[in-house]
Amino acid sequence: MSMIVSLSGGGIKGAVASARYAGEQDVVIVHIDYGQPSARAEIEAVEALASSLPRTKLMPVAVPHVLNLQGGGGADGDASKTTLGDSEAVLPPSVLRGLMPMLLSVGVQAAFRIGASTVVTGMTSRGAGAHLGLPSAADAAHLRPQFVHGFAIALEALQAGRTKLRLEAPLMDLSDGEVIKLAGRLGVNLQHARTCQSPDPHACGKCEPCRARARAFSSVGVSDPATIPVVTA
Ligand SMILES: [Zn+2]
């Protein structure tokens, strides 16, 4: 029986991508704490997700050196010395630029460790992605599929052509609204899906992912089951 590693930061796409496989295969949701202010709230979201899906477990992974690379952790590499405070809810772009290759690499490492057949990312070509260091979808929607394709080739080379572990991005061609519709068809409860970048347990309604989430729900005429303040500005 094959096993799936599904990367999730607690948001809607990770939830829907995981649900796409859950029930048919064993799913291990990998959440990566790289020092993002919202990590604690994200873990609660992925815990709720894992317990709501059949045959699904959670594997939390901490990669504390990511912020240290920016010099924020001090020379001794102590992440607790980072300069990010509660009021500084958004990580600087310099942290985010190399984030996605690192996240996928951790997923690959977890998959090899547990003998999974597939690493799944909920990445889409058209949705918000600046908070993950992805190229702007508005500028060039083809760049994200290109990135995933390139990573898949690297993974194939790593296995010397005897490809057993694959990378899949099942939501790549869907708009954010279409992802929400798919969540409805798959019966995914999005009440606990965590989109916000703020460290606060309650979503802020102001950051770019919160705004993109509101736009996505309204684009398909579905109300968000999570209570998020609506900020118009
Ligand atoms: Zn927010």
Side-chain angles (χ1 to χ4, degrees):
M1 187 60 67
S2 63
M3 211 186 304
I4 302 293
V5 161
S6 182
L7 291 162
S8 171
I12 291 174
K13 288 167 193 166
V16 175
S18 302
R20 161 90 176 58
Y21 298 86
E24 294 172 10
Q25 284 155 298
D26 292 324
V27 174
V28 176
I29 295 174
V30 170
H31 175 270
I32 303 166
D33 178 348
Y34 50 88
Q36 69 274 43
S38 54
R40 187 182 295 269
E42 290 175 15
I43 295 247
E44 286 177 18
V46 284
E47 278 172 350
L49 173 66
S51 59
S52 73
L53 295 175
R55 297 172 60 177
T56 301
K57 289 182 194 163
L58 173 62
M59 183 193 287
V61 179
V63 191
H65 71 269
V66 175
L67 288 186
N68 295 347
L69 289 173
Q70 314 306 315
D76 60 359
D78 181 355
S80 67
K81 291 183 185 168
T82 176
T83 53
L84 285 170
D86 282 357
S87 60
E88 205 172 345
V90 179
L91 292 173
S94 56
V95 173
L96 300 171
R97 203 161 293 133
L99 190 62
M100 192 49 76
M102 186 280 288
L103 298 180
L104 291 180
S105 294
V106 171
V108 164
Q109 210 169 8
F112 278 133
R113 185 76 60 87
I114 64 175
S117 65
T118 310
V119 173
V120 173
T121 166
M123 192 191 302
T124 65
S125 62
R126 288 179 277 163
H131 63 296
L132 290 172
L134 291 170
S136 161
D139 291 344
H142 69 283
L143 289 178
R144 296 185 197 171
Q146 200 172 69
F147 169 76
V148 167
H149 182 63
F151 200 96
I153 290 173
L155 184 55
E156 202 176 311
L158 192 65
Q159 298 174 92
R162 293 184 294 276
T163 304
K164 290 195 172 134
L165 179 60
R166 295 185 309 275
L167 174 64
E168 291 186 5
L171 311 182
M172 186 60 87
D173 296 331
L174 303 184
S175 68
D176 285 357
E178 288 168 333
V179 172
I180 284 166
K181 285 207 249 180
L182 180 57
R185 287 200 294 278
L186 293 172
V188 185
N189 183 354
L190 297 178
Q191 187 185 348
H192 301 291
R194 170 77 185 191
T195 309
C196 184
Q197 288 180 281
S198 99
D200 197 289
H202 302 289
C204 73
K206 292 184 246 175
C207 67
E208 178 47 32
C210 272
R211 288 165 186 267
R213 176 176 177 138
R215 284 195 300 272
F217 273 97
S218 75
S219 75
V220 288
V222 175
S223 56
D224 191 338
T227 310
I228 296 174
V230 177
V231 177
T232 50

